[in-house]
């Protein structure tokens, strides 16, 4: 019997879209990339060289791609501002959806997509938080669930990119939503995973600087920022995001419990090679996020495909993606306003509690 394959269309062939296309095409045995969409001419050139020879039809119109014969699922890796409308269009066409984070920077728009997905429970609609698929984070979660460190109480997590002098991140900041919404959203998602999706925010504060990319100021963004989120019930999350790392990508997480702690990627390294010379011992680190999480993205594509074909449960809920965007927006507000935000146990905004 022939292997049943999920027929996939990829929307957007930029930095992440190319990687999704390659992963679904060559590294996901139960998937078949049948179509790809991009309005960008340079991306179309790449698609003709790398996708067309494998039978992939290239479209310059997203809605036309959705009409491709036999298409069953869409992977959305376009600009953030069109994620939601493209997800809604795919759901309306009865297609499974894997959407790059965030669904939207608008809470109401996120809710609209979630409601559309709920109306069609036979569809698998997932927001791509890649760290949920990383083997090290999964191991840490299993240990935390088993009670190895007692009650997880503090999370200290960072997403730190290697400094890029090209100006890419300045241009990207025009539509990214800000450093917390773009970068720390992964760390926020990890917090919801380890602390529980329903945990209630008590207070939010943040501070940041522009140290190496003055162009970010035009977008009211920062290249280094620290945020603290206090939760009702006695838990705290500390986030650091940066575009300034000289050595490479450094994404590290500590989960500190009442009887121990777990560290993920505490000593970043590209591989298991150390170089010993008269200058000392050198251990190289990944140059970018994909160098750290490549295999997590591959696992993501395979598990999404399996869920769509076998009608099995996705590893996390879309409502978790909504909460990550919501907390990220609170951090952005605190960062830009310089004010600490307070909330009651039901999520309502309140004035500073009296002492």
């Amino acid at each position: 019997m022939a292997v049943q394959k999920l027929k996939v269309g990829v929307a957007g062939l930029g930095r992440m879209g190319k990687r999704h296309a390659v992963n679904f095409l060559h590294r996901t045995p139960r998937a078949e990339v049948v179509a790809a969409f991009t309005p960008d001419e340079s991306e179309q050139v790449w698609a003709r060289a790398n996708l067309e020879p494998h039978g992939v039809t290239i479209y310059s119109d997203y809605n036309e791609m959705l009409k491709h014969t036999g298409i069953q699922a869409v992977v959305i890796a376009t600009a953030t501002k069109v994620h939601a409308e493209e997800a809604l269009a795919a759901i309306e066409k009865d297609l499974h959806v894997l959407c790059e984070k965030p669904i939207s920077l608008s809470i109401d728009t996120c809710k609209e997509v979630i409601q559309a997905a709920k109306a069609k429970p036979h569809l698998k609609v997932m927001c791509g938080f890649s760290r949920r698929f990383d083997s090290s984070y999964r191991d840490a979660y299993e240990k935390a669930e088993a009670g190895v460190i007692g009650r997880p109480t503090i999370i200290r997590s960072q997403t730190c990119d290697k400094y890029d002098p090209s100006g890419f991140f300045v241009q990207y900041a025009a539509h990214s939503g800000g450093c917390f919404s773009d970068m720390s959203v992964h760390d926020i998602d990890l917090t919801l995973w380890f602390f529980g999706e329903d945990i209630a925010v008590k207070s939010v504060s943040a501070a940041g600087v522009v140290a190496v990319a003055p162009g970010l100021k035009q977008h009211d963004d920062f290249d280094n920022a620290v945020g603290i989120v206090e939760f009702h019930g006695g838990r705290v999350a500390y986030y650091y995001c940066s575009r300034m790392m000289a050595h490479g990508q450094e994404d590290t997480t500590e989960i500190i419990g009442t009887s121990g702690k777990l560290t993920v990627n505490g000593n970043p390294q590209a591989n298991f090679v150390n170089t010993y010379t008269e200058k000392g011992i050198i251990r190289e680190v990944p140059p970018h996020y994909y160098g750290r999480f490549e295999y997590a993205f591959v696992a993501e594509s395979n598990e999404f495909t399996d869920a769509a074909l076998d009608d099995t449960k996705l590893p996390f809920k879309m409502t978790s993606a909504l909460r990550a965007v919501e907390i990220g927006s609170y951090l952005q507000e605190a960062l830009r306003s310089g004010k600490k935000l307070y909330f009651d146990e039901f999520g309502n905004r309140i004035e500073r509690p009296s002492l």
Side-chain angles (χ1 to χ4, degrees), residues 166-202:
S166 72
F168 169 82
F169 285 123
V170 172
Q171 298 173 25
Y172 186 66
H175 53 78
S176 71
C179 56
F180 283 121
S181 292
D182 178 49
M183 302 171 71
S184 294
V185 71
H186 288 289
D187 306 291
I188 297 166
D189 178 63
L190 290 173
T191 303
L192 296 171
W193 192 18
F194 282 88
F195 282 176
E197 180 188 325
D198 297 327
I199 194 165
V201 173
K202 184 177 181 180

Side-chain angles (χ1 to χ4, degrees), residues 17 67 82 84 99 111 121 165 186 212 233 283 294 310 320 351:
K67 299 175 185 177
V82 295
C99 182
K111 290 178 179 178
H186 288 289
V212 293
R283 182 183 68 247
E294 176 182 356
D310 301 333
S320 184
E351 294 299 317

Side-chain angles (χ1 to χ4, degrees), residues 76-352:
I76 298 173
T78 46
T80 296
K81 64 182 180 181
V82 295
H83 282 182
E85 67 180 76
E86 290 180 348
L88 288 168
I91 292 169
E92 185 178 347
K93 290 287 187 180
D94 227 30
L95 303 176
H96 304 289
V97 176
L98 169 57
C99 182
E100 265 299 313
K101 63 84 187 165
I103 307 168
S104 172
L105 295 173
S106 162
I107 304 301
D108 289 339
T109 303
C110 288
K111 290 178 179 178
E112 185 181 354
V113 175
I114 290 170
Q115 288 304 314
K118 284 183 177 179
K120 294 191 174 183
H122 61 287
L123 294 180
K124 304 300 177 182
V125 181
M126 186 173 81
C127 188
F129 282 103
S130 53
R131 293 178 202 187
R132 296 266 191 153
F133 300 89
D134 178 70
S135 59
S136 295
Y137 277 109
R138 285 183 164 179
D139 184 31
Y141 178 76
E142 289 170 5
K143 286 179 167 60
E145 281 291 283
V148 171
I149 61 167
R151 179 179 184 266
T153 304
I154 306 291
I155 283 183
R156 183 164 53 197
S157 196
Q158 67 180 49
T159 297
C160 295
D161 291 338
K162 184 175 182 178
Y163 173 59
D164 181 354
S166 72
F168 169 82
F169 285 123
V170 172
Q171 298 173 25
Y172 186 66
H175 53 78
S176 71
C179 56
F180 283 121
S181 292
D182 178 49
M183 302 171 71
S184 294
V185 71
H186 288 289
D187 306 291
I188 297 166
D189 178 63
L190 290 173
T191 303
L192 296 171
W193 192 18
F194 282 88
F195 282 176
E197 180 188 325
D198 297 327
I199 194 165
V201 173
K202 184 177 181 180
S203 70
V204 178
S205 57
V209 297
V210 176
V212 293
L216 287 172
K217 292 181 180 179
Q218 65 185 299
H219 304 301
D220 201 13
D221 202 6
F222 302 80
D223 52 34
N224 286 268
V226 171
I228 296 176
V229 179
E230 180 186 9
F231 297 93
H232 287 282
R235 286 171 163 167
V236 176
Y238 168 100
Y239 306 122
Y240 171 45
C241 54
S242 176
R243 306 282 197 192
M244 193 177 71
M245 297 294 101
H247 56 287
Q249 192 78 17
E250 187 174 341
D251 300 337
T252 302
T253 302
E254 286 182 292
I255 306 99
I256 304 165
T258 53
S259 57
K261 79 171 183 177
L262 296 161
T263 300
V264 180
N265 201 38
N267 293 295
Q269 56 192 71
N271 51 40
F272 298 112
V273 176
N274 288 343
T275 303
Y276 295 74
T277 70
E278 70 278 2
K279 295 180 180 179
I281 303 172
I282 299 172
R283 182 183 68 247
E284 296 178 358
V285 301
H288 44 64
Y289 74 97
Y290 199 68
R292 167 65 182 88
F293 294 108
E294 176 182 356
Y295 294 102
F297 283 106
V298 174
E300 177 185 70
S301 65
N302 279 274
E303 291 185 30
F304 171 76
T305 297
D306 290 344
L309 289 175
D310 301 333
D311 193 24
T312 52
K313 190 177 179 180
L314 292 169
F316 55 95
K317 301 175 183 176
M318 283 286 284
T319 48
S320 184
L322 168 64
R323 290 222 62 206
V325 171
E326 186 176 51
I327 294 172
S329 71
Y330 294 153
L331 283 161
Q332 286 298 145
E333 180 182 345
L335 177 62
R336 289 169 174 163
S337 69
K339 297 178 181 179
K340 189 172 183 177
L341 314 181
Y342 297 90
F343 304 83
D344 65 20
E345 293 182 1
F346 304 101
N348 301 308
R349 188 79 67 91
I350 59 176
E351 294 299 317
R352 179 170 181 163

Side-chain angles (χ1 to χ4, degrees), residues 15-28:
R15 183 177 57 156
M16 198 60 238
K18 289 183 177 72
R19 289 164 174 161
H20 278 303
V22 169
N23 285 342
F24 274 91
L25 183 65
H26 298 298
R27 306 172 81 176
T28 309

